[in-house]
Amino acid sequence: MKKINIKILLVFILLLTINYACSDNFVDVKPTSENSEDFFNTQEDYENALIGAYDLLQSTYLNVLLGEIASDNTLAGGESATDVPGIQQVDDMIHTPLNAQLRDIWNWMYAGVNRANYILEFKDKTDFEGKDQIIAEATFLRAYYYFELVKWFGDVPLSVDKRIQFGEQFTIDRTPAANVYAQIELDLIFAADNLPLVQNTPGRVTKGAAQALLGKAYLYQQKYDEASGVLESVITSEKYDLVEDYNTIFEEVGENNVESVFEVQYFEGQGAGFGCLQCSEGNVAVGFSGVRNYTGPDFSSGYSFNVPVQEVVDAFEAGDSRKEVAILDIEAWATATGATFGTGYEHTGYFNRKYIPRTRSTDAQGDRNLTNPNNYRAIRFADVLLMAAEAFNRSTTPDDAKAQTYLNRVRERAFGSTANNITATGDVLYENILQERRVELVGEGHRFFDLVRTGKAEQEIDNFVTGKHELFPIPAIEIQLAGNRWSQNPNY
């Protein structure tokens, strides 16, 4: 992670006992790698393990990419109809339990859970000043990874303060999503109570990040009263604000700014290849979303996945300054700058300008398309404002005046004045808020899950089947490894 000095941590390699039949001398051989049970003897051990728990955040690039492609915002794109079939399947809503990308999300998120739980399993082993904050950060990370798992897969195996060890797949069961959410809530309340408002190192979680994710978890469960209260705490903390220039948010100058509530850090110092995409310290989704065979100013080439459709381009109102920031019209850009480009499968003429490769130095390691340094703005203050607006509008006792205030705060930046402020109330205001989420957050991976949780997916997403596609299938191999005891998600 940028500025958090990610290391390759061998501490996560468990001691393996190898049974040799030739003699008994093997019992006297000392292990060459550290036994995980004997770790956590110093503050440095805890800090290194925490870095390892943060490291899996970088693999969430795939969650963002697929979350956008699954929605009505973009098409899969790529080189051809057979370029990364798993991505194409998600776009067409024909994905199955054999989908390789869905298995990656499952595996990588559980790797994050296990790394966080490794710290929490031994949280009482060694005392030192500042340990409470490390424990709080690990607890947040566990909640973050579980939130990703429950929103993608629904009921998932839940483990608290204990790693899921090899062999336990035969006894551990899927936990109802409501119980997983209950644990997420407990974790985030604990984290918020024990984290500082400000961290000295960019990318480390804060009290505001925990509260914002808690508000989001409440919103996904339609607990609007709880969501409105905790999200308002983030807003009134005065630690966050909207940056004046929307265009700067997604450039390097805008990383970790006042609008960033939680941001996944990437850098180009450690490269990767297609054999190990999760090994990259760079944002893989950025290269995937880049313009194919591009030459010209400001940007560099990519693989032309995740291409916006005309419908989302047209969703922006006249005078909305966000359109040019969110959407790159490659034909218009080429005419204005002399840039050249190639076209890929399902070419629409548009690209996700927020997260396409920028021109940069020649220092990147490995495949440059897989090591882009662009941070992912996982929770922005604008998102918090819009979630709060929705929560106040949907609360048991609605406060539409407050909902309008938070919605219009976002719109005033977009239009540069109050002339386009929303005055509607009730259900009309609700639809206004959801529409605002689409244009404010386009390209950031939230749209599919917004449509699902609000019951609008079938009417907006081609081939979406209610009763099936709200969740993605549990990878078939995981069910097999569990002894075929787990049920599959409905209609897969």
Side-chain angles (χ1 to χ4, degrees):
M1 295 172 65
K2 191 185 303 178
K3 304 183 182 73
I4 303 189
N5 300 324
I6 286 297
K7 307 171 183 177
I8 302 299
L9 296 175
L10 298 179
V11 299
F12 296 103
I13 300 176
L14 301 180
L15 174 64
L16 300 179
T17 302
I18 304 174
N19 295 313
Y20 294 96
C22 56
S23 75
D24 292 333
N25 291 336
F26 74 92
V27 299
D28 297 323
V29 177
K30 294 183 178 180
T32 58
S33 61
E34 191 157 12
N35 189 322
S36 64
E37 306 297 315
D38 295 333
F39 199 62
F40 294 112
N41 299 308
T42 66
Q43 179 176 349
E44 184 180 13
D45 287 345
Y46 283 88
E47 291 173 345
N48 284 341
L50 183 63
I51 291 171
Y54 271 103
D55 193 38
L56 264 297
L57 288 172
Q58 294 178 332
S59 68
T60 58
Y61 79 85
L62 183 56
N63 307 39
V64 178
L65 185 69
L66 280 190
E68 198 69 12
I69 289 171
S71 79
D72 56 341
N73 279 349
T74 67
L75 299 176
E79 182 178 26
S80 68
T82 58
D83 192 359
V84 193
I87 294 178
Q88 303 289 343
Q89 291 163 11
V90 169
D91 183 20
D92 296 333
M93 290 285 124
I94 58 172
H95 45 274
T96 74
L98 301 179
N99 187 287
Q101 281 63 47
L102 295 176
R103 189 186 180 195
D104 283 340
I105 290 176
W106 176 282
N107 286 341
W108 296 344
M109 294 306 94
Y110 265 112
V113 167
N114 249 19
R115 291 189 183 189
N117 268 336
Y118 182 37
I119 299 167
L120 299 172
E121 184 176 338
F122 295 96
K123 61 185 176 183
D124 297 323
K125 184 176 180 183
T126 303
D127 288 327
F128 55 87
E129 186 177 352
K131 190 178 77 168
D132 288 349
Q133 182 174 313
I134 290 177
I135 299 305
E137 290 182 60
T139 304
F140 171 93
L141 291 170
R142 178 174 66 194
Y144 192 92
Y145 295 127
Y146 263 125
F147 181 71
E148 289 298 311
L149 285 164
V150 76
K151 78 179 188 182
W152 282 85
F153 302 107
D155 301 351
V156 295
L158 177 65
S159 182
V160 179
D161 294 357
K162 183 182 183 301
R163 290 162 292 167
I164 300 175
Q165 302 276 25
F166 179 75
E168 293 182 353
Q169 71 272 17
F170 298 117
T171 58
I172 193 170
D173 292 314
R174 293 176 66 186
T175 300
N179 294 354
V180 179
Y181 270 115
Q183 185 61 48
I184 289 169
E185 292 172 13
L186 290 174
D187 282 353
L188 293 173
I189 291 168
F190 172 83
D193 288 343
N194 290 277
L195 286 170
L197 286 168
V198 178
Q199 291 272 24
N200 293 326
T201 305
R204 295 188 72 159
V205 295
T206 61
K207 181 183 184 72
Q211 291 176 318
L213 185 57
L214 177 60
K216 190 171 187 178
Y218 284 142
L219 204 65
Y220 271 59
Q221 301 171 81
Q222 299 184 345
K223 294 182 176 180
Y224 299 116
D225 293 347
E226 294 90 336
S228 61
V230 72
L231 291 168
E232 175 134 272
S233 294
V234 180
I235 296 168
T236 59
S237 71
E238 299 185 349
K239 295 298 179 184
Y240 308 101
D241 201 355
L242 298 177
V243 300
E244 184 175 345
D245 184 358
Y246 187 80
N247 184 55
T248 65
I249 298 173
F250 304 99
E251 304 298 333
E252 185 175 2
V253 67
E255 292 183 345
N256 302 304
N257 62 29
V258 71
E259 188 163 338
S260 177
V261 180
F262 184 54
E263 189 161 321
V264 178
Q265 311 293 301
Y266 290 99
F267 80 116
E268 58 186 4
Q270 181 175 316
F274 281 96
C276 185
L277 290 173
Q278 76 274 23
C279 296
S280 179
E281 301 293 346
N283 191 336
V284 175
V286 170
F288 266 66
S289 301
V291 184
R292 185 169 291 272
N293 299 324
Y294 177 86
T295 58
D298 293 2
F299 307 111
S300 59
S301 190
Y303 297 124
S304 68
F305 284 87
N306 193 28
V307 289
V309 298
Q310 187 67 49
E311 179 192 328
V312 75
V313 176
D314 295 341
F316 289 90
E317 301 168 58
D320 190 335
S321 64
R322 294 170 296 193
K323 180 178 178 179
E324 300 302 318
V325 176
I327 307 293
L328 175 64
D329 181 335
I330 192 61
E331 297 282 357
W333 177 260
T335 298
T337 65
T340 61
F341 61 94
T343 59
Y345 179 60
E346 298 180 316
H347 180 70
T348 63
Y350 302 112
F351 291 88
N352 175 13
R353 189 183 180 279
K354 291 178 179 177
Y355 291 111
I356 59 174
R358 267 55 174 177
T359 302
R360 63 192 200 278
S361 71
T362 59
D363 296 334
Q365 303 297 308
D367 187 327
R368 286 177 60 85
N369 284 327
L370 304 178
T371 55
N372 282 276
N374 313 49
N375 285 357
Y376 172 56
R377 287 69 168 169
I379 306 177
R380 292 197 286 116
F381 186 59
D383 188 7
V384 172
L385 288 170
L386 293 175
M387 287 192 292
E390 181 181 344
F392 278 109
N393 170 259
R394 298 284 97 179
S395 290
T396 304
T397 304
D399 188 340
D400 282 347
K402 189 165 286 186
Q404 290 170 1
T405 296
Y406 293 149
L407 168 63
N408 287 328
R409 191 168 168 185
V410 174
R411 288 179 63 81
E412 285 166 18
R413 175 178 65 180
F415 292 96
S417 72
T418 61
N420 296 85
N421 281 10
I422 299 293
T423 58
T425 59
D427 290 344
V428 175
L429 175 57
Y430 177 62
E431 296 299 328
N432 291 151
I433 294 167
L434 298 184
Q435 172 64 13
E436 199 67 25
R437 286 189 63 79
R438 186 181 196 185
V439 293
E440 173 67 29
L441 302 171
V442 62
E444 300 179 47
H446 304 295
R447 174 67 172 172
F448 175 81
F449 300 101
D450 277 349
L451 289 174
V452 167
R453 69 179 179 79
T454 57
K456 297 178 179 296
E458 184 174 38
Q459 70 188 54
E460 301 296 343
I461 300 174
D462 291 342
N463 302 321
F464 185 97
V465 177
T466 298
K468 177 179 181 179
H469 290 131
E470 291 88 350
L471 297 173
F472 292 86
I474 305 298
I477 186 64
E478 303 300 332
I479 293 178
Q480 294 166 13
L481 290 172
N484 292 309
R485 295 178 304 102
W486 299 350
S487 61
Q488 182 54 272
N489 281 332
N491 298 312
Y492 287 104

